[in-house]
Structures are given as structure tokens and as C-alpha cells.
Amino acid sequence: MTTSFKRFTKAQAAKTLLGFLPHVSIESLIRASHFAEKLTRVERDREAIRALRELFERRHPAAMMAKEIVERLSPNVQRKIISNLFVNAFLIGTDKREIDMPAKEGFKPPMLLVISPTMRCNLLCPGCYAGEYQQHEGLSTDLVDRIIREAKAMGTYFITMSGGEVFMRPDMFDIWEEHSDVFFQLYTNGTLIDKDAAARLERCGNVAPMISLEGMKEETDARRGPGTFDRVMDAMDNLREAGVLFGASFTETRHNMELIASDEMMDLLVEKGALVAWYFQYIPIGREPHTELMPTPRQRDWLRRRVLEIRETKAIFVGDFWNDGYYVEGCIAGGREYIHINANGDVEPCVFCHFAVDNIKGKTLKEVLNSDFMKAIRSHQPYRENYLTPCMLIDEPDVLREVVAKYRAHPTHEGAETLVTDLKDEIDRYAREYRAIADDVWEREYKEKNARRVASARYS
């Protein structure tokens, strides 16, 4: 297919999908899903679109949320979600990553990149996964620009930015505006999102902040500092009033698990206008790591069941980075679906895996994705048949130890090596205890369903 024809197809796809926006209804979203299904050549994505359409057809809370997204957001944000996220990242980008690039280059690029432009932060939270990185300015604007251009050339149009605090780098607004065809997701503490920042985010249209919370006011202020919760609530108000897509992010620990997944918390987020909530399990890395902060294996399984309840009853999209391993068929790190580039330029398999062999400052994105280290990680995936145990850090830690030793991956900050040294016995014990629970759940609830999914993919 010629480049000019691809551009024409992209423009027509965006124009057609945008045509569903002015008079939004469940029926128009169903029609849009039929059109989107025809656009993609990847069967897995067609299956996902059909599943989404089924939610629309039975008026599921998630379907009603999708309708509210379109109605509540500013016209510019609406357009960017359609053109950048759905058309560029998930339709055209998926075809390029999964069909064109393997045929041309011999490998499949990841769906997204996580870039931490800086590790500096205006807060000093205990247990922060990024807390032991060097607190310097970080990646240059030109380098971030170069990484994103190389990603787009491979079909990757979904970029997550983390840190550190992204809004400590006001030059990132220039990046978001320059790459107006990319969709950016940000992880932020939210304290720097005033009305002016929210208004500029709306003008960009292609940026979705995910704001960190520890719970309600008492819990958030206890870890992040007095007044933080109120500033986060103000930030959410500013974003909602500006018509910007935003959500929340939670680090689940042994002590806050039930609160952050409570009806009270979900109802607050919906009231504030948040449309997404992400759960990330505490991993003993970064500043003052403690395994006793990790959710117990039984708590981890409780959250899996609780998230399923939330999805059936609340008008908010919920993602659980570990317990959703079933839906993505195990670990997505190591370049299978994403990598992390930290503020030093070190290329890490995952934001929680602080080991690297390459630095992006001296190599291309294609080169670091195809390093022996990253390819070795991908060769082990999935680490187990049970996708409820997807992680090489805490579920199958022998994999991490093997690849770190074999490829001499260096810790990317002082103390990162403790995950494979000092904490080894505690991590092994945790993995055994959780696998006993997860394997029983897999046999009862997922194994047969997964076999049907595999058979369907084989004969599609």
C-alpha cells in the first residue's frame, strides 16, 4: 500500500469516526464500532471491538460511560481521542506494528512507550518507586522528541509519561503540541494542574493525566503531605471544567487496599469526572523498600474479584496492572507491548524493573528494543501458563534473576539490586503463596475460558 493511500485511508477513517460525534447516542457508538472493526486487519482487535459493541448493546455501565466521555469532553479532546487514540494508535498503528513491521523488519514493536522525562518531584513520598533515581533535570527536549519520532515510524502512537513529576518540565507542553498525532497518558501527583495548566491541556487535546491518590484525605495527606488531597480535588475540578480526559492512579498496599477499591472512592471519582482508575501493586523498590507493604496474596485475589464487581456497577474504566494479566496474556514488558526509558536514558523492561543494558542516548529505539536482554525476556513470555501470575518480579522471580545475570544488566539506581539479592527469600515466599491461590482460581474460573479463546484465535 502506498504512503499516499495510507494517508488517505487514515484521513477518511478519522473523518468517518468523527462524523459520529455531533449527535452521540448508544446507537451511533454501535455503528462506529462496526466501522472500526472493518478498519483493522488484526483479529484480536476485531474481537475486542466486538466485545465492546456487546457492552453497548446491553447498556452496560461501561457503555454509558463511553457515551458520557464523548458528551462531557471538549470538542478538541473528542477529536484527539478519535484521531490519535482510536485511529492512529489502535487501528492504523496496530496494523503497522503487528503486520507491516514484522514483515519488513522482523520484529513487532510495542503498543506503547513509557518515558520519564525527569525524576524530579515537588513531593517526597515514602516508598516512591522512582525515589532513588538521580534527581537531575532528565532527558533533553530534543531527545524526547527523537524517541517519539522513532516510535511513530514503527506505528507506536500511544506514549505514557511518568516520573518524577511530569509537570516539573513545562517544556513537555511543547512536545505534546509538536506531536499532535500522538495520544499521551501522564502519571502525575496533580498538584501543579491549576486552571491555566488545564486550559493548555485542553488546547493540546491529546493528553490525559492520571492523578495519584492514596485513598481519601487522611490517607493521601499522610503519605504525600498536608493539603495534597485538596489540591488533587482542585486539579480534578480544573480538568473536568476544561473538558479534559483524566483519571486516577492508585498504588495498592496491605493497608489501603479495601479503601481505594471501595464504593466511596469509586463514587467520588465518578462525581469528580474521572473516567479511568488504574491499580498498581506496591513493589519493594525505590525509596525505603519494604515487603511488608505488599498486599498479601489473599488481598491481591480480593482486588481481582472486586475489580470485576466495579466494572459491572460503576461508570468508570478500571485497569488492574497485575490482575488483568489474563486479558493481555501475561507480562507485557521487555518490549512485548512496552518498555520504560528513565530520566537517565536507561532502557528498562518495565517501570518497576530497574535494570538496564542499554541507554537510548547512544542507540536507536529499534536497537534497544532488539537487544539480547529484551529479546531474552520476550522469549520467556508468558512465564507461566497461568496468566494471573504474569510478573517476573514477584510471580516468577527466577526469570528476572536469570536474565539480569546472563546479560549483566546493571541496576539503574543505588539499591535497585536488592530485589534480586537482599529481598530474594521474601519474594520467593510471596510468589509461592500467591501461586497457590492463583492456580486454584485459574483452574476453576479461567482455564476453560482461555482454551476456548486460544481455539478461536487458531481458527479465525
Side-chain angles (χ1 to χ4, degrees):
M1 185 182 292
T2 66
T3 301
S4 61
F5 185 73
K6 285 182 179 179
R7 290 173 179 167
F8 172 77
T9 303
K10 174 181 174 180
Q12 288 299 107
K15 181 178 179 181
T16 302
L17 287 171
L18 287 168
F20 292 106
L21 290 179
H23 306 289
V24 174
S25 66
I26 293 297
E27 287 70 26
S28 67
L29 291 171
I30 290 172
R31 291 196 300 274
S33 74
H34 281 290
F35 177 74
E37 184 181 350
K38 294 176 182 177
L39 283 177
T40 181
R41 294 178 285 165
V42 179
E43 177 57 30
R44 186 187 68 243
D45 292 336
R46 292 194 187 103
E47 180 183 347
I49 292 168
R50 290 192 290 269
L52 180 63
R53 182 164 60 246
E54 189 268 335
L55 297 180
F56 292 149
E57 290 170 342
R58 63 185 177 95
R59 300 321 195 248
H60 187 278
M64 304 312 293
M65 180 191 71
K67 181 175 181 294
E68 290 180 12
I69 287 175
V70 179
E71 292 177 335
R72 186 187 306 167
L73 303 179
S74 79
N76 187 43
V77 173
Q78 292 175 8
R79 286 191 293 269
K80 292 296 185 178
I81 291 173
I82 295 294
S83 62
N84 294 14
L85 188 60
F86 289 109
V87 175
N88 291 355
F90 293 149
L91 294 179
I92 295 172
T94 299
D95 286 350
K96 184 169 186 177
R97 294 190 309 273
E98 300 201 8
I99 298 175
D100 299 340
M101 285 294 292
K104 180 180 178 181
E105 301 288 348
F107 82 105
K108 182 179 82 67
M111 178 186 71
L112 66 97
L113 296 180
V114 181
I115 304 172
S116 293
T118 182
M119 290 302 176
R120 292 190 301 123
C121 187
N122 59 324
L123 302 181
L124 194 65
C125 307
C128 175
Y129 86 92
E132 290 303 313
Y133 285 106
Q134 296 177 11
Q135 304 295 297
H136 53 66
E137 184 64 18
L139 303 176
S140 70
T141 310
D142 287 345
L143 181 55
V144 174
D145 176 73
R146 192 258 286 178
I147 295 168
I148 295 172
R149 291 185 187 281
E150 291 182 8
K152 290 194 294 185
M154 295 188 293
T156 302
Y157 285 86
F158 188 19
I159 305 292
T160 291
M161 287 192 172
S162 188
E165 174 50 52
V166 178
F167 287 100
M168 296 284 284
R169 290 282 301 269
D171 58 318
M172 288 301 104
F173 277 101
D174 299 327
I175 289 289
W176 305 330
E177 291 167 351
E178 173 66 22
H179 295 281
S180 60
D181 53 348
V182 171
F183 196 84
F184 293 92
Q185 177 182 241
L186 315 180
Y187 286 97
T188 171
N189 62 45
T191 59
L192 302 179
I193 304 178
D194 57 16
K195 290 186 181 296
D196 289 342
R200 191 168 182 188
L201 289 171
E202 188 282 325
R203 290 195 296 273
C204 291
N206 60 338
V207 184
M210 303 292 139
I211 304 177
S212 298
L213 282 169
E214 307 300 327
M216 295 298 185
K217 182 178 177 68
E218 178 182 354
E219 296 79 18
T220 299
D221 286 0
R223 181 167 184 247
R224 296 179 175 268
T228 301
F229 183 81
D230 290 339
R231 293 167 73 184
V232 168
M233 294 298 103
D234 289 342
M236 289 185 175
D237 290 340
N238 295 335
L239 292 166
R240 184 187 67 250
E241 291 165 8
V244 176
L245 173 65
F246 72 94
S249 171
F250 300 98
T251 298
E252 71 223 37
T253 72
R254 191 166 301 187
H255 307 301
N256 71 353
M257 175 78 81
E258 288 76 15
L259 175 58
I260 62 176
S262 66
D263 284 340
E264 179 186 17
M265 178 58 71
M266 292 299 104
D267 291 343
L268 174 64
L269 294 179
V270 171
E271 176 188 343
K272 282 291 180 180
L275 297 166
V276 184
W278 286 106
Y279 291 106
F280 297 92
Q281 178 169 325
Y282 171 79
I283 303 294
I285 52 175
R287 185 180 291 126
E288 301 175 7
H290 296 290
T291 54
E292 59 266 26
L293 285 176
M294 296 174 68
T296 68
R298 292 200 177 278
Q299 283 180 314
R300 179 171 166 185
D301 186 63
W302 176 86
L303 184 64
R304 176 190 63 82
R305 291 179 279 112
R306 174 58 182 154
V307 165
L308 296 176
E309 293 175 359
I310 294 172
R311 287 171 178 162
E312 286 297 318
T313 58
K314 305 295 182 182
I316 187 168
F317 171 82
V318 180
D320 184 341
F321 200 70
W322 272 261
N323 286 328
D324 282 344
Y326 169 75
Y327 302 102
V328 294
E329 301 179 357
C331 176
I332 64 172
R336 178 185 164 222
E337 291 296 355
Y338 96 108
I339 56 170
H340 177 224
I341 300 173
N342 70 28
N344 292 321
D346 295 318
V347 184
E348 300 169 335
C350 157
V351 295
F352 301 101
C353 184
H354 298 176
F355 295 91
V357 297
D358 288 318
N359 192 290
I360 196 66
K361 294 176 183 177
K363 296 189 175 182
T364 66
L365 186 57
K366 187 188 302 183
E367 287 174 325
V368 300
L369 283 168
N370 284 300
S371 71
D372 290 341
F373 179 52
M374 295 297 182
K375 287 194 291 188
I377 292 172
R378 295 197 292 271
S379 73
H380 284 285
Q381 294 167 337
Y383 310 124
R384 304 184 75 232
E385 178 188 25
N386 182 350
Y387 298 150
L388 297 178
T389 56
C391 181
M392 69 175 176
L393 304 184
I394 59 173
D395 296 326
E396 199 65 22
D398 284 342
V399 174
L400 175 64
R401 296 165 195 154
E402 175 190 328
V403 295
V404 165
K406 183 174 182 178
Y407 297 98
R408 299 181 180 179
H410 64 270
T412 53
H413 60 76
E414 185 178 353
E417 70 281 356
T418 59
L419 194 64
V420 298
T421 55
D422 298 3
L423 300 178
K424 177 179 182 297
D425 291 343
E426 295 175 72
I427 295 296
D428 284 345
R429 182 168 57 252
Y430 171 89
R432 288 194 301 271
E433 292 175 0
Y434 179 66
R435 285 199 299 261
I437 295 172
D439 287 352
D440 178 60
V441 172
W442 180 263
E443 287 290 329
R444 289 186 288 106
E445 301 181 30
Y446 291 88
K447 187 173 183 178
E448 183 178 346
K449 181 168 61 172
N450 187 63
R452 291 196 301 268
R453 178 172 68 177
V454 172
S456 175
R458 184 180 299 124
Y459 293 109
S460 62

